[in-house]
Amino acid sequence: MANENGMNFEIPAEMRAMAEKSVEQARQAFDTFAAAAKHAVDTAENQAKGAQAGAKEASELAMQFAERNIASSFEFAQKLVHAKDAQEVMQLQTEYTKNQMATLSEQAKELGQKATKITGKG
């Protein structure tokens, strides 16, 4: 190979082979890194999608509970309006409170199970 001064300069075959090997090793290392990065991104996306879907399910469940609880409160209010005396009001209040405590306990349990499922700890 001639340079500007007309002198021949040859790269030794061993040096060329070593450079080619280094380039190939660098390419393989980059390919391995790129594959690992893609796998990490795919895994993170899948986990995020799962968490998002789980959060949506939990949110929908909480809304269903809220709707039921509000309906129950309106039913209770309707019964109170038709109560004949203070004794019946107290009886309705006791019954409503007992039912609401049981309902809220069951709802909390169900939401807890959903949260455990979402976080993958169950």
Side-chain angles (χ1 to χ4, degrees):
M1 176 183 283
N3 65 10
E4 294 175 4
N5 298 333
M7 297 179 62
N8 286 340
F9 179 73
E10 289 290 325
I11 297 176
E14 297 85 18
M15 188 175 272
R16 186 180 309 273
M18 189 171 72
E20 287 175 358
K21 185 176 180 181
S22 293
V23 168
E24 183 57 31
Q25 287 175 340
R27 182 184 312 275
Q28 288 174 353
F30 176 78
D31 289 346
T32 300
F33 169 78
K38 182 179 181 336
H39 178 71
V41 167
D42 290 347
T43 300
E45 284 177 354
N46 289 337
Q47 288 175 345
K49 286 177 186 175
Q52 186 178 23
K56 183 178 182 202
E57 288 177 30
S59 177
E60 289 171 352
L61 185 61
M63 283 302 297
Q64 290 172 6
F65 290 162
E67 289 170 358
R68 279 191 248 160
N69 294 340
I70 290 169
S72 176
S73 295
F74 279 118
E75 287 176 26
F76 171 62
Q78 190 68 35
K79 288 178 183 178
L80 283 179
V81 169
H82 295 289
K84 294 177 180 72
D85 55 29
Q87 184 178 355
E88 188 176 354
V89 168
M90 291 302 292
Q91 179 185 351
L92 290 170
Q93 176 66 39
T94 301
E95 183 180 299
Y96 173 76
T97 302
K98 180 181 172 185
N99 289 338
Q100 278 304 103
M101 293 303 290
T103 298
L104 292 174
S105 176
E106 185 60 35
Q107 290 172 349
K109 179 180 174 184
E110 197 171 335
L111 279 173
Q113 290 170 341
K114 178 67 69 179
T116 300
K117 180 181 172 187
I118 290 170
T119 60
K121 295 180 180 176

